[in-house]
Amino acid sequence: MSKDEIIILDCILSPFCMRVKIALNEKGVSYESKEEDLFGWKGGKSELLLKSNPIHKKVPVLLHNGNPLNESSNIVTYIDETWPSSSPLLPSSPYERARARFWIDYIDKKVFETGGKIWRSNGDEQEAAKKEFIEILKQLEEALGDNDFFGGERFGIVDVIAIPFSCWFYAFEKVGGFKVEEHCPKLSNWEKRCLLKESVGSVIPSPDMVYGFVSSMRNKLGLE
Amino acid sequence: MSKDEIIILDCILSPFCMRVKIALNEKGVSYESKEEDLFGWKGGKSELLLKSNPIHKKVPVLLHNGNPLNESSNIVTYIDETWPSSSPLLPSSPYERARARFWIDYIDKKVFETGGKIWRSNGDEQEAAKKEFIEILKQLEEALGDNDFFGGERFGIVDVIAIPFSCWFYAFEKVGGFKVEEHCPKLSNWEKRCLLKESVGSVIPSPDMVYGFVSSMRNKLGLE
């Protein structure tokens, strides 16, 4: 569809990178992915990454005809504003847009950090993190209500922002000994609904792959 | 200008609340401010606040014809989208908008929290916070460059987001024993330029008032 040059500085397991790929898929915009070596296994982060995101030095970076964009929620909004005609992601009314941004901010601040506390700990600390994580998901489930998607009947920006975390849930569950589905059945159904979409399913890695990564990190940290 | 009912659940010393008032002033939209009792001196937060921001329970809340909006950067964006015709705050191109959102996010994550570390500590901890704070301001000064405002020639959304912190700088300086102006002269000039604007100057409390508050809090915390 697009003749623009679109490059993502990417990491296959990063939910933040997945957001950008899902948004571009929704828009029908093709892109080239360049996998970054975040853990220094093959020489470390590329010069292009350090130059394109000098403040945070993090993936994802979107390079649109060479112009760098940083921070995944910001990039997804940019994608929606740059290709507005197909599959709008943000709602059209200012009030609904503000509501969507509120939940994006909530998800950005809470979900991955709290999930990380589950797998980076054991014992009481892990129990507390698990409890906090379930509360956060319940809050999200309440926001979802009886809708098919956070965007209502349509898959929208909050769905793009939230769904990539789902492939990490299995690792959180295995390490923490709980099931998201038992606490948040509606959210689990939403997850299945999203994964059926080609734009999402083609981007999200298998939960087993994430669990493999989490296990190896826990081993390294002496937690297993 | 507007016949809408606009209420801010407010706190005079909160930079986050100041953002909302400056944005409304820029748009020529009049509002009613309801001061919240955040510290429990007169019975605590209002029922209206708890109902209007059930997740974070924080000011500011903007009530637009009764519809609540939370989180200051989000509210300022909403104000810009709701009254787009006068004094646009966000740039018009998607790329420049993304750049503005990047700096809003940076300011939101860094400035007030690091400033808080200066006045909530002493000794080495305070020194480290001071050093970090100055680095953050230098980064902002670099982003400002030789422009009059972060919005370029015009006062824009990043200016709205950043300027309220300036009335806290005097307290940080007094407690930490440093001068922002000596490290970031361009940023100090930007501050003076912003404060000359009626929309800003009428909202920002005196640095002495903020310092008085910070001193009393330091006393309470046993730091002075």
Side-chain angles (χ1 to χ4, degrees):
Chain A
M1 174 192 167
S2 163
K3 284 180 187 167
D4 295 353
E5 185 197 58
I6 314 278
I7 296 168
I8 301 171
L9 306 187
D10 200 4
C11 166
I12 193 171
L13 293 183
S14 160
F16 304 100
C17 295
M18 295 172 211
R19 293 170 168 182
V20 175
K21 292 177 276 189
I22 292 169
L24 289 169
N25 287 346
E26 280 289 306
K27 298 292 182 176
V29 174
S30 51
Y31 55 84
E32 181 191 344
S33 156
K34 292 192 175 175
E35 188 75 7
E36 285 285 332
D37 171 26
L38 301 183
F39 300 95
W41 293 330
K42 286 178 270 173
K45 296 175 182 177
S46 72
E47 280 302 314
L48 186 57
L49 173 57
L50 301 178
K51 200 181 74 182
S52 312
N53 190 354
I55 309 263
H56 302 304
K57 302 176 179 67
K58 286 193 301 191
V59 294
V61 169
L62 183 77
L63 291 154
H64 185 186
N65 296 329
N67 294 319
L69 292 125
N70 305 151
E71 300 287 80
S72 62
S73 300
N74 191 12
I75 297 173
V76 171
T77 302
Y78 171 81
I79 291 169
D80 198 37
E81 292 183 347
T82 303
W83 293 278
S85 54
S86 54
S87 302
L89 297 174
L90 272 156
S92 55
S93 94
Y95 189 73
E96 290 305 320
R97 292 161 81 88
R99 248 185 74 86
R101 286 192 305 265
F102 175 86
W103 286 111
I104 290 170
D105 181 65
Y106 181 84
I107 293 162
D108 273 350
K109 283 179 180 151
K110 303 274 188 180
V111 175
F112 206 54
E113 192 182 317
T114 311
K117 286 189 211 159
I118 298 174
W119 72 259
R120 287 172 191 276
S121 66
N122 278 325
D124 288 351
E125 202 183 325
Q126 187 178 76
E127 272 308 303
K130 198 167 86 181
K131 212 177 142 194
E132 193 189 339
F133 185 73
I134 292 167
E135 285 310 310
I136 291 165
L137 294 193
K138 282 189 175 171
Q139 199 82 66
L140 287 175
E141 185 168 77
E142 204 182 311
L144 176 67
D146 289 319
N147 294 310
D148 276 358
F149 298 106
F150 286 94
E153 288 177 18
R154 291 175 59 99
F155 181 81
I157 193 161
V158 179
D159 302 287
V160 174
I161 296 300
I163 188 60
F165 295 122
S166 68
C167 63
W168 281 73
F169 287 3
Y170 176 68
F172 302 159
E173 290 174 335
K174 286 271 279 188
V175 171
F178 71 107
K179 284 271 183 196
V180 169
E181 194 164 10
E182 286 171 14
H183 300 276
C184 302
K186 285 183 188 173
L187 205 66
S188 284
N189 284 334
W190 160 83
E191 184 188 325
K192 288 170 199 147
R193 221 173 282 130
C194 292
L195 290 172
L196 286 175
K197 287 176 68 72
E198 168 72 14
S199 61
V200 178
S202 61
V203 164
I204 305 280
S206 86
D208 274 326
M209 188 175 172
V210 178
Y211 179 63
F213 170 77
V214 163
S215 287
S216 75
M217 290 300 284
R218 279 178 59 83
N219 264 317
K220 262 195 190 151
L221 294 168
L223 292 166
E224 260 177 26
Chain B
M1 176 191 165
S2 163
K3 284 181 187 164
D4 295 355
E5 185 196 58
I6 313 279
I7 296 168
I8 302 171
L9 306 186
D10 201 2
C11 167
I12 192 171
L13 293 183
S14 160
F16 304 100
C17 294
M18 295 172 211
R19 293 170 169 182
V20 175
K21 291 177 276 189
I22 293 169
L24 288 170
N25 287 346
E26 280 289 307
K27 297 291 183 177
V29 174
S30 52
Y31 55 85
E32 181 190 344
S33 155
K34 292 191 176 176
E35 187 75 9
E36 285 285 332
D37 172 26
L38 301 183
F39 299 96
W41 293 330
K42 288 179 268 177
K45 296 174 183 177
S46 72
E47 279 304 314
L48 186 57
L49 174 58
L50 301 178
K51 201 181 74 184
S52 310
N53 190 353
I55 309 264
H56 302 304
K57 302 176 179 67
K58 285 193 300 192
V59 293
V61 170
L62 182 78
L63 291 153
H64 185 186
N65 297 328
N67 293 319
L69 293 123
N70 305 150
E71 300 288 79
S72 62
S73 301
N74 191 12
I75 297 173
V76 170
T77 303
Y78 171 81
I79 290 169
D80 197 39
E81 292 183 348
T82 302
W83 293 279
S85 54
S86 53
S87 303
L89 297 174
L90 273 156
S92 55
S93 94
Y95 189 71
E96 290 305 319
R97 294 161 79 89
R99 249 185 74 87
R101 285 192 305 266
F102 175 86
W103 287 111
I104 291 170
D105 181 66
Y106 181 84
I107 293 162
D108 273 351
K109 282 179 180 151
K110 304 273 186 180
V111 176
F112 206 54
E113 193 182 315
T114 311
K117 285 190 212 158
I118 298 175
W119 71 260
R120 288 172 189 276
S121 66
N122 279 325
D124 288 351
E125 203 183 323
Q126 189 180 74
E127 273 307 303
K130 199 167 85 180
K131 210 177 143 193
E132 193 187 340
F133 185 73
I134 291 167
E135 285 309 309
I136 291 165
L137 293 194
K138 282 189 175 169
Q139 198 82 68
L140 287 175
E141 186 168 75
E142 203 182 311
L144 177 66
D146 290 318
N147 293 308
D148 277 356
F149 299 106
F150 285 94
E153 288 176 19
R154 291 176 58 97
F155 181 82
I157 194 161
V158 179
D159 302 286
V160 175
I161 296 300
I163 188 60
F165 294 121
S166 68
C167 63
W168 282 72
F169 286 3
Y170 176 67
F172 301 159
E173 289 174 337
K174 286 271 279 186
V175 171
F178 70 107
K179 285 271 184 196
V180 169
E181 195 165 10
E182 286 170 14
H183 300 277
C184 303
K186 284 184 190 174
L187 205 66
S188 284
N189 284 334
W190 161 81
E191 185 187 326
K192 287 169 200 149
R193 218 173 284 131
C194 291
L195 289 172
L196 287 174
K197 289 177 66 72
E198 168 72 12
S199 62
V200 178
S202 62
V203 164
I204 305 280
S206 85
D208 275 327
M209 189 176 172
V210 177
Y211 179 62
F213 171 77
V214 164
S215 287
S216 75
M217 290 300 285
R218 280 178 57 84
N219 264 316
K220 262 194 190 150
L221 295 168
L223 292 166
E224 261 178 23

